[in-house]
Amino acid sequence: MELRGKRVLITGASRGIGESLAHNFAGAGARVALVARSRDSLESLAVELGGTVHPADLSDSTQVSGLIRRVEDDGGPIDVLVNNAGIESTACFTDAPEDELRRVTDVNYLAPAELCRQAIPGMLRRGGGHIVNVSSLSGIVLFPGLVSYSASKAALSHFTAGLRTDFRGLPIGTTLVELGPIPTDLLAKIDNYEPTAKSFQRAYRWGVAVDTPRERVAEEVVKAVLKGRRHVRLPKRSAPLAMLAEAPRRIAEIILTGVPHQAKS
Ligand SMILES: NC(=O)c1ccc[n+]([C@@H]2O[C@H](COP(=O)([O-])OP(=O)(O)OC[C@H]3O[C@@H](n4cnc5c(N)ncnc54)[C@H](OP(=O)(O)O)[C@@H]3O)[C@@H](O)[C@H]2O)c1
């Protein structure tokens, strides 16, 4: 999709990968709509890049409800939805605070899915749109202490493949972003729980994990939207793992060739 003049909503734009995404989408000529909880950070970014600011807590379903309509009422239709906001949970599953599983699932899976539900009908009415869901290699592999996080990212990855199934043949592009370690505030929190920290140290030592700068992630995501690519997998050395995990979905997709994917109304 050409991005010049298009409107791109980015969640989690106040820092980290989302902030870089905002820079790169704006650099490609898009108008950005910035969502996160930290109003001040979003406003400073909007001063720099232009665009609109929509503070919201995505763990609160009452704030997620109607969010796309509110953003579209303030600046026009959304052409690209980038579900980037995410939180980690590093603890043994049964030791985590009581509301942690719900919070992680709400922010990392339910809010992105709900925003897709709100955004896609309008995109279809206007002739097309693109969804970017920022997931993780933790949605494929498991490290101790990351159970809730990994399960939420596995849900997001499978959900994204599900969108492709439901909207096959219609002008809705999807890009699933599967990331290894990216130095940000989120990654720094793995040190909070020793078994998680030690697992990462081992993965780095074995060379299976390697840091990717967030600016590189943003570059690859913008390129993927411009070229209509289904996947961004970083670091590149992780791509075979992600492809293996994707294989059963691809096989089902091929088997279902010719089957109608939308009911006739
Ligand atoms: N960093 C990594 O190693 C890594 C690896 C794989 C995947 N990822 C994924 O990449 C995405 C971005 O992560 P990051 O590393 O950039 O993390 P980060 O630096 O911690 O930034 C997270 C962003 O999400 C926003 N956010 C958090 N909770 C929110 C809530 N309840 N409502 C609205 N916004 C919320 C934060 O803004 P506010 O605090 O202002 O709300 C912030 O803008 C996440 O989905 C993460 O799972 C990261």
Side-chain angles (χ1 to χ4, degrees):
M1 171 190 281
E2 168 57 51
L3 283 167
R4 215 165 297 279
K6 295 282 167 39
R7 191 157 188 238
V8 181
L9 187 161
I10 302 159
T11 70
S14 59
R15 60 174 191 272
I17 296 166
E19 186 188 356
S20 298
L21 286 167
H23 276 278
N24 283 46
F25 275 109
R31 295 175 298 129
V32 290
L34 308 170
V35 172
R37 289 166 303 179
S38 315
R39 178 188 285 275
D40 290 352
S41 307
L42 295 181
E43 282 176 348
S44 337
L45 195 57
V47 166
E48 201 181 333
L49 304 177
T52 52
V53 161
H54 311 273
D57 183 345
L58 299 177
S59 70
D60 177 351
S61 62
T62 64
Q63 296 189 39
V64 176
S65 172
L67 181 60
I68 295 291
R69 182 180 38 74
R70 290 193 295 282
V71 174
E72 293 191 334
D73 284 350
D74 176 16
I78 298 299
D79 301 293
V80 181
L81 166 62
V82 184
N83 282 307
N84 163 76
I87 52 173
E88 92 310 329
S89 163
T90 38
C92 173
F93 180 65
T94 49
D95 293 340
E98 195 182 327
D99 63 342
E100 188 120 309
L101 173 62
R102 187 175 299 280
R103 229 166 37 88
V104 167
T105 310
D106 279 344
V107 177
N108 293 0
Y109 171 54
L110 290 177
E114 170 57 19
L115 294 180
C116 289
R117 194 191 69 75
Q118 293 177 25
I120 289 174
M123 290 175 173
L124 284 172
R125 275 196 305 277
R126 296 185 295 273
H130 198 104
I131 305 292
V132 177
N133 286 334
V134 180
S135 189
S136 168
L137 288 170
S138 300
I140 303 169
V141 298
L142 283 156
F143 286 165
L146 287 180
V147 178
S148 299
Y149 178 77
S150 296
S152 70
K153 290 299 185 181
L156 184 63
S157 298
H158 205 52
F159 167 79
T160 310
L163 284 183
R164 286 199 296 273
T165 307
D166 260 9
F167 296 101
R168 187 165 168 166
L170 295 177
I172 296 296
T174 62
T175 300
L176 174 64
V177 183
E178 291 166 292
L179 301 175
I182 316 295
T184 63
D185 292 353
L186 183 142
L187 183 63
K189 289 179 187 155
I190 60 169
D191 287 335
N192 293 349
Y193 185 58
E194 197 190 355
T196 313
K198 287 236 163 2
S199 314
F200 271 71
Q201 282 160 17
R202 180 169 291 217
Y204 281 119
R205 253 199 324 274
W206 281 36
V208 287
V210 58
D211 285 351
T212 306
R214 63 189 171 111
E215 294 79 8
R216 171 88 203 286
V217 176
E219 254 169 52
E220 292 294 326
V221 169
V222 169
K223 226 188 281 173
V225 174
L226 285 168
K227 299 193 171 180
R229 288 195 192 129
R230 284 175 168 209
H231 298 281
V232 170
R233 290 158 171 152
L234 290 168
K236 290 278 184 215
R237 68 183 68 178
S238 68
L241 204 62
M243 282 164 163
L244 272 179
E246 184 68 10
R249 299 181 190 131
R250 288 290 284 164
I251 291 166
E253 201 177 325
I254 291 162
I255 291 169
L256 296 181
T257 302
V259 170
H261 284 250
Q262 292 88 38
K264 289 200 171 63
S265 49

